[in-house]
């Protein structure tokens, strides 16, 4: 239909992760909001306070928070949990994430993976083998037993989110703990997550709400509009005789269709397969 109508189509989820494109990155803007709100949701459903409190009646120990995935959402979740006074441990397959995690005052846990194996050329985590994820689950299970809050953000572009919290791990966790699965829009990192639902399982609350940024519409809309403005401001001045500058990395990466032709290789392959 796009080809028949000769519609020019850009998709901003294809934006390259380069410095010039940061101001246009809608995914990062929404992930920032989701990371923040995930901690607020967890604090609301957790039957404890986050910070350590010394009172006349005794000392309250701080909440133990695990963040799985140290991308934009994960880093914002770390920062928010730390501001609330939680003790935070963050996990990521990419060794490059360690410095960012530690700079926010959290402990970093990683698998022994080579940089080239852990992420693709765009800086996103790569899909790994089944053995890799089993090993990852085994390492995580050492920490999840004592966790009060777990926030999962691990995504693989274009793939099902890896299962990192299994039913067996849930059975060993403390009753009353909270899991917020931000990967639930791609089926979730927690085996028990139900998209769009908040459920009770094994004495815990598992939050699988969809489109969390939409619960903060004022700032979500503001950031979205600014991202769109910067994108349009970038692409429109480069139009010459109705054509876009395809030598520009941002335009080339995001341009899906133009003048009756699908340009994006991945979409071309799907069409050829029928």
């Amino acid at each position: 239909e796009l080809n028949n109508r000769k519609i020019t189509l850009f998709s901003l989820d294809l934006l390259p992760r380069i410095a010039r494109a940061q101001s246009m990155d809608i995914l990062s803007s929404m992930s920032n909001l989701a990371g923040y709100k995930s901690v607020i949701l967890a604090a609301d459903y957790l039957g404890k306070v986050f910070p350590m409190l010394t009172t006349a009646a005794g000392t309250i120990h701080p909440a133990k928070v695990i963040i799985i995935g140290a991308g934009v959402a994960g880093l914002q979740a770390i920062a928010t949990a730390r501001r609330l006074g939680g003790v935070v441990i963050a996990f990521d397959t990419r060794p490059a994430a360690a410095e960012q995690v530690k700079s926010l005052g959290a402990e970093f846990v990683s698998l022994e993976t080579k940089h080239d194996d852990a992420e693709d050329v765009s800086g996103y985590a790569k899909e790994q083998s089944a053995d890799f994820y089993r090993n990852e689950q085994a390492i995580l299970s050492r920490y999840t037993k004592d966790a009060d809050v777990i926030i999962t953000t691990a995504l693989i572009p274009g793939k099902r989110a890896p299962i990192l919290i299994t039913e067996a791990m849930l059975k060993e966790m403390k009753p009353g703990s909270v899991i917020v699965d931000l990967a639930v829009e791609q089926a979730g990192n927690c085996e028990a997550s139900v998209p769009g639902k908040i459920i009770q399982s094994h004495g815990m609350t598992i939050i699988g709400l969809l489109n969390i940024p939409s619960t903060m519409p004022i700032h979500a809309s503001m950031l979205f509009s600014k991202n769109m403005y910067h994108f349009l401001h970038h692409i429109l001045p480069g139009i010459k005789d109705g054509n876009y500058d395809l030598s520009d990395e941002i335009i080339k990466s995001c341009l899906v269709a133009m003048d009756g032709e699908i340009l994006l290789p991945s979409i071309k392959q799907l069409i050829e397969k029928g």
Side-chain angles (χ1 to χ4, degrees):
E1 182 64 19
L2 287 168
N3 286 342
N4 291 338
R5 297 175 64 182
K6 295 188 176 182
I7 289 175
T8 298
L9 173 66
F10 289 93
S11 181
L12 268 71
D13 61 348
L14 301 171
L15 203 70
R17 297 186 77 180
I18 58 176
R20 289 192 302 119
Q22 286 181 347
S23 63
M24 316 168 198
D25 194 346
I26 292 172
L27 178 59
S28 289
S29 294
M30 299 303 111
S31 294
N32 249 317
L33 293 177
Y36 163 81
K37 190 60 176 282
S38 67
V39 178
I40 304 303
L41 283 168
D44 189 28
Y45 280 87
L46 185 66
K48 303 178 179 180
V49 297
F50 265 57
M52 182 177 76
L53 297 177
T54 302
T55 74
T59 299
I60 295 173
H61 296 290
K64 295 180 180 178
V65 183
I66 288 179
I67 312 293
I68 302 176
V72 175
L75 291 172
Q76 183 58 249
I78 292 168
T80 305
R82 289 284 296 142
R83 284 195 292 269
L84 288 179
V87 174
V88 183
I89 299 173
F91 179 90
D92 200 284
T93 59
R94 301 164 299 138
E99 185 178 350
Q100 294 171 307
V101 167
K102 292 176 182 177
S103 72
L104 294 171
E107 180 184 344
F108 180 75
V109 181
S110 176
L111 291 175
E112 293 295 328
T113 54
K114 296 179 182 178
H115 176 79
D116 291 342
D117 295 332
E119 58 184 64
D120 60 21
V121 293
S122 300
Y124 290 101
K126 290 171 64 175
E127 186 176 26
Q128 304 291 342
S129 67
D131 286 340
F132 180 94
Y133 291 123
R134 279 192 290 270
N135 188 31
E136 198 170 50
Q137 291 163 5
I139 291 176
L140 279 167
S141 66
R142 302 171 197 166
Y143 298 88
T144 55
K145 296 174 184 178
D146 297 322
D148 295 302
V149 171
I150 298 177
I151 295 170
T152 69
T153 72
L155 293 169
I156 306 296
K159 305 285 185 178
R160 191 216 185 279
I163 295 176
L164 303 176
I165 306 295
T166 64
E167 287 281 355
M169 292 164 67
L170 291 173
K171 292 176 183 178
E172 295 182 339
M173 288 181 62
K174 294 188 296 187
S177 54
V178 178
I179 295 175
V180 183
D181 194 342
L182 291 183
V184 77
E185 303 213 23
Q186 287 179 223
N189 296 138
C190 177
E191 196 168 15
S193 295
V194 178
K197 302 289 186 180
I198 299 174
I199 66 168
Q200 300 295 318
S201 179
H202 304 291
M204 294 171 295
T205 301
I206 301 176
I207 300 173
L209 296 180
L210 300 170
N211 195 12
I212 286 179
S214 69
T215 66
M216 298 162 283
I218 294 172
H219 285 131
S221 297
M222 182 193 78
L223 292 173
F224 181 87
S225 62
K226 286 188 175 181
N227 290 145
M228 286 301 302
Y229 167 78
H230 288 298
F231 181 72
L232 293 172
H233 185 62
H234 176 79
I235 68 170
L236 294 180
I239 298 177
K240 295 178 181 179
D241 300 323
N243 295 315
Y244 293 90
D245 181 8
L246 297 184
S247 66
D248 182 275
E249 184 178 0
I250 293 171
I251 294 175
K252 184 178 179 180
S253 297
C254 297
L255 188 56
V256 177
M258 183 173 68
D259 293 333
E261 181 184 0
I262 299 294
L263 301 178
L264 192 67
S266 59
I267 300 297
K268 274 186 174 181
Q269 291 172 8
L270 288 173
I271 293 174
E272 289 170 1
K273 290 178 181 179

